[in-house]
Amino acid sequence: MVRFVIIIMAKKGKIATSRWYHIIPVVFITYSLAYLDRANIGFGAAAGMARDLHISATISSLLGSMFFLGYFFFQIPGTLYAANRSARKLIFWSLILWGLFAASTGLITNIKILLVIRFMLGLAESAVLPSLFLLLSRWFTRKERSKANTLLMFGNPVSMLWMSVISGYLIHTVGWRWMFIWEGIPAVLWAFIWWKVIQDKPEEALWLDPEEKKLLEDALQKEQLSIKPVKNYVTAFKSRTVVLLCLLYVLWSFSMYGFVIWLPSIFNAAPGIGIVKTGWLSAVPYLMALIAMFFASYFSDKTLKRKPFVWPFLLLGALAFYCLYLTGTNNFWISFMLLSIAGMAMYVPYGPFFASLVEILPANVAGGAIALINSFGALGSFAGSYIVGYFNGNSGGFGTSYILMAGSLLFSVLLAFIAIKDDRGGTKIVTLAVAGSYG
């Protein structure tokens, strides 16, 4: 499926089409494995993990969110290592570590150790996504970047799509412990394929001829000339735009991971819905997201605009959650439809949003800015997965969670209007037009 999408999205006749086949499938699978090993805790919780380990509702919500606390701490130093040294090496070791931590989840009987394992899993995965975005920015031009980022981010809903089905069957056949073990091992094995196939920069690739390398390098260097220079990381981090994007991503991530982590529990709570059926139903929002993400990234790159592909979908997600709050639990299928719309709407903006991040700052500080924004997203994810889990377990329903997620997305829409600016010609996404930023 991914290869089919790549064939459609990659255009021949310009800069080395082979990049799409060498780079994209590998980064896609890498991120898919990362997302699998962070999100399957939701299926473990829905399948009796809390019952077997005598985990209270409060501890269960903390367990779901502990990953993001670890995810926060290593974002910036890890990404700076990838920017200044090697993204290839960092992700190789990350794959091995997170695979081992994920598999060990199935062996733990002590709750305190399990909390530590979730924290360490987040630490091991923390720099992977910003490092992958940084890697793609060295291989794809601005006209290709939203498509490339979206194909990477496909690893998110695609892994949720097949994980939802496979995890349901694994739990049904071998139990939740073996689910974690079988879903953790592939990351360790994949690390060695990653190391064999991926290079940090085009100049290191043996499969590109000198003319292709020069054409790509010239195009990337030309892009840098159109971006205002930023002296250092401190200047970049203090800019109004980066601060607003951090706040935007906190709010967006709050709702996203409140949804992702606890969706299986929401479905499983419905009468007559077993764990296998929960898996199939949970897959639907991610299938819808894949289709919508494809078209959004295509038109974002075609128009070289990002803003129209961010805020409208965040607003749609907010409205869907608010309608869920109004609907209550009276009609499962209406709730199912609204949850599917909310999930789809929150995924669509990823490609255009992350494409904009490497278009507002020069290469010398872009990696650090992406890490900063993503680390704030981790804080939002921590809060979302914990607070949503807490209210789901202690309020006797999901209404409070829905209204919180709706409000969070609504505020993110307002920030998107302020922070992301498309100019008339579509040649700049946003500028650091703050008088004191360069002093």
Side-chain angles (χ1 to χ4, degrees), residues 171-359:
I171 291 170
H172 181 71
T173 54
V174 296
W176 63 266
R177 290 188 179 278
W178 277 102
M179 177 204 71
F180 284 114
I181 294 170
W182 283 116
E183 291 182 352
I185 291 173
V188 179
L189 302 177
W190 183 253
F192 297 94
I193 298 175
W194 165 272
W195 185 259
K196 180 71 175 177
V197 176
I198 291 295
Q199 294 83 35
D200 277 300
K201 299 176 181 178
E203 63 194 49
E204 300 169 358
L206 298 178
W207 44 271
L208 282 178
D209 62 45
E211 184 179 348
E212 290 174 322
K213 292 179 184 179
K214 187 177 187 307
L215 188 62
L216 177 56
E217 289 167 3
D218 288 348
L220 293 172
Q221 289 175 7
K222 185 178 180 181
E223 288 180 1
Q224 290 298 306
L225 296 176
S226 66
I227 302 175
K228 289 186 178 181
V230 177
K231 183 170 58 177
N232 53 38
Y233 287 113
V234 174
T235 303
F237 291 175
K238 290 194 303 182
S239 73
R240 176 175 176 269
T241 297
V242 171
V243 171
L244 290 176
L245 289 172
C246 286
L247 294 175
L248 186 164
Y249 203 44
V250 166
L251 296 168
W252 179 4
S253 298
F254 178 96
S255 298
M256 171 60 80
Y257 280 92
F259 173 87
V260 167
I261 297 296
W262 300 111
L263 182 65
S265 295
I266 293 172
F267 284 156
N268 202 54
I273 306 294
I275 194 64
V276 174
K277 192 171 183 180
T278 292
W280 281 102
L281 291 174
S282 298
V284 173
Y286 306 109
L287 179 60
M288 292 172 58
L290 279 174
I291 298 169
M293 287 172 75
F294 172 85
F295 286 104
S297 65
Y298 173 81
F299 287 107
S300 178
D301 275 351
K302 189 175 180 65
T303 60
L304 287 181
K305 291 184 179 293
R306 312 305 183 195
K307 185 174 181 176
F309 301 95
V310 177
W311 74 263
F313 291 98
L314 296 178
L315 179 60
L316 178 60
L319 292 174
F321 279 126
Y322 183 65
C323 289
L324 279 161
Y325 169 75
L326 296 178
T327 301
T329 58
N330 296 327
N331 191 309
F332 173 79
W333 292 109
I334 291 178
S335 297
F336 170 74
M337 178 187 69
L338 290 170
L339 282 166
S340 298
I341 292 172
M344 177 273 295
M346 288 188 292
Y347 273 106
V348 170
Y350 272 125
F353 177 76
F354 280 104
S356 73
L357 301 187
V358 293
E359 296 167 349

Side-chain angles (χ1 to χ4, degrees), residues 10 24 42 91 130 214 221 322 353 390 396 407 412 419-420:
I24 293 297
I91 294 174
K214 187 177 187 307
Q221 289 175 7
Y322 183 65
F353 177 76
Y390 176 84
S412 73
I420 305 174

Side-chain angles (χ1 to χ4, degrees), residues 18-271:
S18 56
R19 292 168 301 143
W20 296 90
Y21 307 119
H22 278 84
I23 304 296
I24 293 297
V26 180
V27 299
F28 165 82
I29 293 173
T30 301
Y31 186 56
S32 182
L33 290 172
Y35 212 80
L36 162 70
D37 287 333
R38 79 179 62 167
N40 58 7
I41 189 73
F43 273 88
M49 182 181 184
R51 180 190 65 245
D52 294 346
L53 298 181
H54 308 291
I55 301 174
S56 67
T58 301
I59 295 297
S60 182
S61 60
L62 181 61
L63 189 64
S65 60
M66 186 58 73
F67 168 91
F68 299 105
L69 195 58
Y71 197 75
F72 171 78
F73 282 106
F74 196 60
Q75 285 272 320
I76 294 177
T79 307
L80 293 183
Y81 177 88
N84 299 319
R85 304 290 288 275
S86 173
R88 176 177 177 245
K89 185 179 293 185
L90 181 138
I91 294 174
F92 170 77
W93 288 109
S94 296
L95 278 160
I96 293 175
L97 289 173
W98 97 56
L100 292 175
F101 286 130
S104 67
T105 305
L107 306 175
I108 300 302
T109 58
N110 183 286
I111 297 173
K112 291 182 180 178
I113 296 177
L114 189 56
L115 288 169
V116 172
I117 290 291
R118 289 295 296 177
F119 177 85
M120 295 303 295
L121 178 64
L123 205 66
E125 285 191 25
S126 58
V128 171
L129 183 59
S131 296
L132 288 173
F133 281 125
L134 185 66
L135 186 77
L136 291 181
S137 72
R138 295 171 175 170
W139 283 92
F140 296 94
T141 65
R142 185 183 171 218
K143 291 182 178 180
E144 306 167 314
R145 205 162 282 142
S146 182
K147 292 192 289 288
N149 287 345
T150 296
L151 286 167
L152 163 62
M153 294 305 294
F154 272 178
N156 181 321
V158 166
S159 62
M160 294 302 296
L161 181 64
W162 67 264
M163 183 204 75
S164 297
V165 177
I166 297 299
S167 295
Y169 278 109
L170 282 174
I171 291 170
H172 181 71
T173 54
V174 296
W176 63 266
R177 290 188 179 278
W178 277 102
M179 177 204 71
F180 284 114
I181 294 170
W182 283 116
E183 291 182 352
I185 291 173
V188 179
L189 302 177
W190 183 253
F192 297 94
I193 298 175
W194 165 272
W195 185 259
K196 180 71 175 177
V197 176
I198 291 295
Q199 294 83 35
D200 277 300
K201 299 176 181 178
E203 63 194 49
E204 300 169 358
L206 298 178
W207 44 271
L208 282 178
D209 62 45
E211 184 179 348
E212 290 174 322
K213 292 179 184 179
K214 187 177 187 307
L215 188 62
L216 177 56
E217 289 167 3
D218 288 348
L220 293 172
Q221 289 175 7
K222 185 178 180 181
E223 288 180 1
Q224 290 298 306
L225 296 176
S226 66
I227 302 175
K228 289 186 178 181
V230 177
K231 183 170 58 177
N232 53 38
Y233 287 113
V234 174
T235 303
F237 291 175
K238 290 194 303 182
S239 73
R240 176 175 176 269
T241 297
V242 171
V243 171
L244 290 176
L245 289 172
C246 286
L247 294 175
L248 186 164
Y249 203 44
V250 166
L251 296 168
W252 179 4
S253 298
F254 178 96
S255 298
M256 171 60 80
Y257 280 92
F259 173 87
V260 167
I261 297 296
W262 300 111
L263 182 65
S265 295
I266 293 172
F267 284 156
N268 202 54

